[in-house]
Amino acid sequence: SQQGEEDPQALSIQEGENATMNCSYKTSINNLQWYRQNSGRGLVHLILIRSNEKEKHSGRLRVTLDTSKKSSSLLITASRAADTASYFCATGTGANSKLTFGKGITLSVRP
Amino acid sequence: GAVVSQHPSWVICKSGTSVKIECRSLDFQATTMFWYRQFPKQSLMLMATSNEGSKATYEQGVEKDKFLINHASLTLSTLTVTSAHPEDSSFYICSARALGTGVRREYYEQYFGPGTRLTVT
């Protein structure tokens, strides 16, 4: 069953703008990860945040995690057309656990 | 580093035939590999967890006799779709989890293959 629920389901922005995507989950987690998938391709790991972390940065990406609200956000700053893809959050409940993926967000960045 | 390959990248087969998909970790050892399927514009659904040297663990609703998984080595897992039918047409993606904490990679991170597009006619 899917745990992560992303919103919005689809997002269209202009190149240069920031894109914010949210993910909510239901059960306790050990870590939360964000992935990108280009159409018809495999997944690319973007960033992992552990349950004891509140914020993490990687290049133009900023991820926050609020375990009290069971939610996470992914911010992509200064978006580029190449950021156009589907983005998924996935939760893990332990070091050896499987991941449960959300439904995904389709991001379109207009040049 | 941390490259996972899948073969074939796409396959078309006739209804009733079997298809084998390979998943390989190219530069690391993976005690655990995962198999997912993804329908168009949908999320990834975990089918099974493949552990090297032991039987795979299947998710609820996934027929183990239809989706045969073999994890014969630390770098290779195979998924065989037996007696394929058109409803088995999907995008199959594998992922591999790196071994232990002694490598320079996040212990929890899964590395995904590029996927295999299966079309059953």
Side-chain angles (χ1 to χ4, degrees), chain A:
Chain A
S1 61
Q2 292 179 330
Q3 158 145 264
E5 292 283 342
E6 295 96 336
D7 77 87
Q9 291 189 341
L11 180 62
S12 180
I13 59 174
Q14 198 72 36
E15 199 166 32
E17 294 178 340
N18 296 340
T20 300
M21 292 168 270
N22 302 301
C23 169
S24 60
Y25 56 92
K26 297 175 183 175
T27 64
S28 296
I29 63 170
N30 174 281
N31 65 88
L32 186 144
Q33 304 182 39
W34 284 91
Y35 289 84
R36 184 186 75 222
Q37 184 182 36
N38 291 85
S39 181
R41 309 291 290 273
L43 271 69
V44 174
H45 182 266
L46 296 177
I47 199 164
L48 176 152
I49 187 166
R50 289 193 172 89
S51 59
N52 60 354
E53 297 175 313
K54 294 190 183 300
E55 187 172 317
K56 207 163 183 178
H57 296 254
S58 177
R60 293 184 297 115
L61 306 179
R62 172 177 170 259
V63 168
T64 62
L65 178 64
D66 187 335
T67 53
S68 66
K69 295 181 179 178
K70 292 186 166 58
S71 67
S72 172
S73 68
L74 170 66
L75 169 68
I76 303 175
T77 60
S79 64
R80 305 167 182 168
D83 295 328
T84 295
S86 293
Y87 291 81
F88 295 91
C89 70
T91 56
T93 56
N96 294 314
S97 71
K98 56 192 179 186
L99 292 176
T100 302
F101 282 82
K103 295 180 180 178
I105 300 170
T106 300
L107 173 65
S108 298
V109 181
R110 303 185 301 274

Side-chain angles (χ1 to χ4, degrees), chain B residues 23-39:
Chain B
C23 177
R24 291 181 186 273
S25 57
L26 298 185
D27 58 349
F28 67 99
Q29 293 182 323
T31 54
T32 304
M33 290 184 174
F34 302 90
W35 287 96
Y36 299 83
R37 66 186 298 181
Q38 184 181 33
F39 292 108

